[in-house]
Amino acid sequence: VSVALVGAGPGDPGLITARGLELLRRCDVLVYDRLVSPELVAEAPEDALIVPRERLEQDELNNLLVEVGRDGLDVVRLKGGDPFVYGRGGEEAVALAEAGVPYEVVPGVSALAAVPASASIPLTHRGVADEVRVLTGHSAGVQSSATVVVFMGREHLPDVCARLLEEGIDGSTPAAVVSRGTLPDQEVVVADLGTLAEAARSVPGPALVIVGEVVRLREALLTTARLALVQA
Amino acid sequence: VSVALVGAGPGDPGLITARGLELLRRCDVLVYDRLVSPELVAEAPEDALIVPRERLEQDELNNLLVEVGRDGLDVVRLKGGDPFVYGRGGEEAVALAEAGVPYEVVPGVSALAAVPASASIPLTHRGVADEVRVLTGHSAGVQSSATVVVFMGREHLPDVCARLLEEGIDGSTPAAVVSRGTLPDQEVVVADLGTLAEAARSVPGPALVIVGEVVRLREALLTTARLALVQA
């Protein structure tokens, strides 16, 4: 893998993942976000090229990642929190995939649950809350599309799909079931919400269901993500 | 700190945090969930007491954590994903806090974003989705309370609060703003939704807003979580 989109976690440098830290410690190029902790930037090898992201526009950044990735250098793109939760990691992944550059996404601890935890607030608690809505303040007032994520045992899939259809989500909305996610024997079934329960009938649990237009990005992102896995 | 509630991440053993791995490697007692990877369980010291959680009821587990915590042993309670996202970590934290046992929460990478990422699906993507709803399949069909989390710059707070009130969330709902979360200079302001914007006027950004009944848990959880910080 040449380019790794790595989540740095919510702030505390101890909350980077073991895998992310390992890649960081042996990278040739590090491109880091403004909110990434200086302790983590200092973990890069002394002779690594270190680039603060704030000097670059998103287009310039995408081009830089493609360029150094093509050269076969080990690149770490270190992003605050998780790359795929308001991290615009998807945009960088699309640019890399379109350019045919192998890449890997290393998820990070998102502020989403970690910051409430550090204020002694659990996001979910039995008998208190079992649903979470995540928004960004930048879009306040703007009606936008939402991704729905469901944690579930496999046997709940028909009920979950029925509930979402009842709530008014269109049956043609793209949807996916992921079983054994992040493990070598991970299974993914993609369908639309109306046919998902039938299509994923034989997938083992526990599983995560994802419903929303973001599922369409998978095809574009998969090209070189898969390459990366094969080369790993 | 004697008891650490540690998130093991979504499955791939490389996705535990650096801090979690450090605590795991020097614990006296490890209590682990069924879905935690065997590679992580193997990271505990050879002479550690290792307890699979599945043999215990939740009450028995809480009592065990309190007991070994009181003895001053270093205990790692290793949970799949993140302790506070459908992890029932809050229940264990409440038991520890009520018993006066110092504890620490080490957030983990939740399946929430990591599993979609490993299927090449970003949760949010500019122009595609900027909101996420998180549910559990176990409650399908049951109307329940939701926690709202908002990622935002400080300057958006009045707009965010106004939007949530307009959407019908009651002004008396407990709410919190957390600035610089997980860092030593973290600031937390707790108020109700109706007065939050005014109460948090001087808090620096970026910040995370949490709205919902879970905010009430903070008082109970804070007692020995704070102790833990002081002793650290």
Side-chain angles (χ1 to χ4, degrees), chain B residues 167-225:
Chain B
E167 286 188 6
I169 301 182
D170 198 278
S172 68
T173 308
V177 170
V178 185
S179 163
R180 309 254 316 144
T182 82
L183 294 171
D185 57 347
Q186 161 175 309
E187 287 183 44
V188 184
V189 174
V190 176
D192 57 35
L193 178 59
T195 58
L196 185 68
E198 179 60 26
R201 212 156 37 113
S202 60
V203 168
L208 199 80
V209 177
I210 308 140
V211 181
E213 296 298 325
V214 288
V215 174
R216 288 193 211 282
L217 292 165
R218 172 174 155 85
E219 212 171 324
L221 290 182
L222 202 56
T223 349
T224 55

Side-chain angles (χ1 to χ4, degrees), chain B residues 12-81:
Chain B
D12 179 338
L15 295 179
I16 192 172
T17 61
R19 171 80 179 144
L21 188 56
E22 181 198 332
L23 292 171
L24 176 58
R25 283 181 173 158
R26 57 176 168 83
C27 70
D28 301 310
V29 181
L30 168 65
V31 185
Y32 69 97
D33 280 348
R34 191 169 57 88
L35 292 174
V36 165
S37 86
E39 289 92 332
L40 288 180
V41 175
E43 292 281 353
E46 267 187 37
D47 58 351
L49 173 66
I50 296 184
V51 183
R53 182 257 184 267
E54 55 193 318
R55 295 199 200 139
L56 304 168
E57 299 295 323
Q58 185 74 45
D59 278 358
E60 294 174 312
L61 170 61
N62 293 352
N63 290 341
L64 171 69
L65 294 179
V66 165
E67 211 167 296
V68 288
R70 272 201 184 127
D71 289 345
L73 296 173
D74 282 328
V75 184
V76 166
R77 169 69 182 103
L78 194 58
K79 302 171 77 70

Side-chain angles (χ1 to χ4, degrees), chain A residues 117 120, chain B residues 1 97 101-105 220-230:
Chain A
S120 292
Chain B
V1 173
V101 175
Y103 72 95
E104 169 183 354
V105 178
L221 290 182
L222 202 56
T223 349
T224 55
R226 189 193 284 145
L227 256 182
L229 284 175
V230 170

Side-chain angles (χ1 to χ4, degrees), chain A residues 118 130 132 134 137 144 151 186, chain B residues 118 130 132 134 137 144 147 151 186:
Chain A
S118 72
D130 66 357
V132 185
V134 192
S144 67
F151 287 71
Q186 160 174 309
Chain B
S118 71
D130 67 355
V132 185
V134 192
S144 66
T147 305
F151 286 72
Q186 161 175 309

Side-chain angles (χ1 to χ4, degrees), chain A residues 1-7 17 19-20 23 75 77 79 81-85 88-94 96-97 101-108 182 221-222 224-226 228-229, chain B residues 10 12 14-15 109 113-123:
Chain A
V1 173
S2 63
V3 180
L5 306 176
V6 177
T17 61
R19 170 82 179 145
L23 291 171
V75 184
R77 169 71 182 102
K79 304 171 76 71
D82 179 274
F84 278 4
V85 181
R88 296 179 65 167
E91 294 173 47
E92 293 164 26
V94 166
L96 291 162
V101 175
Y103 72 94
E104 169 183 355
V105 178
V106 181
T182 82
L221 290 183
L222 203 56
T224 55
R226 191 192 285 146
L229 282 176
Chain B
D12 179 338
L15 295 179
V109 172
V115 167
S118 71
S120 293
I121 301 171
L123 278 195

Side-chain angles (χ1 to χ4, degrees), chain A residues 115-137:
Chain A
V115 166
S118 72
S120 292
I121 301 170
L123 278 195
T124 66
H125 196 82
R126 198 159 52 127
V128 179
D130 66 357
E131 178 170 337
V132 185
R133 263 184 75 199
V134 192
L135 315 171
T136 164

Side-chain angles (χ1 to χ4, degrees), chain A residues 88-188:
Chain A
R88 296 179 65 167
E91 294 173 47
E92 293 164 26
V94 166
L96 291 162
E98 282 177 351
V101 175
Y103 72 94
E104 169 183 355
V105 178
V106 181
V109 172
S110 171
L112 172 59
V115 166
S118 72
S120 292
I121 301 170
L123 278 195
T124 66
H125 196 82
R126 198 159 52 127
V128 179
D130 66 357
E131 178 170 337
V132 185
R133 263 184 75 199
V134 192
L135 315 171
T136 164
H138 308 296
S139 63
V142 179
Q143 195 61 29
S144 67
S145 171
T147 305
V148 178
V149 178
V150 189
F151 287 71
M152 53 156 228
R154 235 292 303 147
E155 70 280 12
H156 296 101
L157 184 59
D159 288 345
V160 165
C161 292
R163 174 185 171 188
L164 296 176
L165 289 166
E166 265 169 42
E167 285 186 8
I169 301 182
D170 198 277
S172 67
T173 309
V177 170
V178 186
S179 163
R180 309 253 320 145
T182 82
L183 293 172
D185 57 347
Q186 160 174 309
E187 287 183 44
V188 184

